[in-house]
Amino acid sequence: MHWVCTGGKCLATLSAVRGRACILSVGNVRGDCQNRCGDNAVTVCVLLTEHFNVIALPSDTSLDEPVACHADMIMFSIGDTAVLPQRYVQAYPDLIYLLRTHCGLRIIADDSQRGKQYPHDVSLNVLLCGGYAFSLKKHTSEKVAEILSEKDIKHVNVRQGYAACSSLSIEGGIITADPSIASAAESE
């Protein structure tokens, strides 16, 4: 997954799956970009919609408003597999159909308890980088932990529950201002 950000706000998540590219974003891409980030973001969004299939992710009402529309709070994706909350999967069957057919994702419904407040909202917020996954392990979904184990990805505990929100995974490294994630990455 690669984040597409402008003006300090995450606009979308790009997921390249089996040669297909899908933009996973929240709401009306062009309208939301204008409202959230201004004209520069609209230019980015227009370019994205011209070159990629855009699939809007509805907000997750089980999360607190400031993070309810973050793609990395709504789903965990690795390869051709995506884990989403059970209630979300049941609430949006048309979206799940699109994720399966247009993005080629195998959907796993996660039944772990999520809460509106931190840290009970971070079960799917996992930063992947190479053969490592960084998260607040105590609050990470068991289904996500199982997938990481099956794929021989080392699961590293960090104190930052919003690991994927606060960092950017790039080929061969991580960009972050979070000292917990930086320290964990340096020691691995």
Side-chain angles (χ1 to χ4, degrees):
M1 278 195 186
H2 302 283
W3 294 103
V4 178
C5 298
T6 79
K9 305 269 184 164
C10 283
L11 301 176
T13 302
L14 171 62
S15 179
V17 181
R18 291 192 213 158
R20 294 185 181 135
C22 296
I23 299 293
L24 306 176
S25 68
V26 178
N28 174 318
V29 176
R30 291 180 189 191
D32 283 352
C33 288
Q34 178 66 47
N35 295 337
R36 293 179 186 193
C37 306
D39 293 333
N40 289 338
V42 171
T43 302
V44 171
C45 287
V46 168
L47 290 171
L48 291 175
T49 58
E50 288 175 359
H51 299 284
F52 298 99
N53 294 322
V54 177
I55 299 175
L57 294 179
S59 293
D60 184 347
T61 57
S62 71
L63 298 173
D64 202 19
E65 182 62 30
V67 296
C69 66
H70 289 209
D72 56 4
M73 298 290 284
I74 296 171
M75 76 182 332
F76 168 78
S77 176
I78 182 168
D80 66 350
T81 302
V83 179
L84 293 97
Q86 177 76 38
R87 278 187 33 202
Y88 195 85
V89 169
Q90 292 170 341
Y92 302 108
D94 292 342
L95 168 69
I96 300 309
Y97 174 79
L98 287 174
L99 293 175
R100 284 183 173 134
T101 59
H102 291 294
C103 295
L105 291 172
R106 177 175 68 102
I107 303 299
I108 296 175
D110 181 41
D111 58 0
S112 58
Q113 293 294 321
R114 288 170 35 116
K116 282 195 175 281
Q117 300 300 313
Y118 180 86
H120 305 288
D121 59 349
V122 300
S123 63
L124 301 176
N125 199 299
V126 178
L127 173 67
L128 291 172
C129 184
Y132 298 91
F134 300 87
S135 74
L136 185 60
K137 286 175 75 170
K138 177 177 163 183
H139 292 282
T140 301
S141 157
E142 287 182 24
K143 288 201 189 312
V144 170
E146 288 170 12
I147 291 168
L148 295 174
S149 177
E150 289 168 7
K151 294 185 177 285
D152 290 325
I153 294 174
K154 184 172 182 182
H155 195 180
V156 180
N157 187 57
V158 294
R159 291 185 309 270
Q160 171 58 269
Y162 299 127
C165 287
S166 62
S167 307
L168 179 64
S169 176
I170 58 171
E171 192 172 325
I174 294 172
I175 298 173
T176 188
D178 185 273
S180 170
I181 294 171
S183 175
E186 287 171 356
S187 67
E188 291 302 326

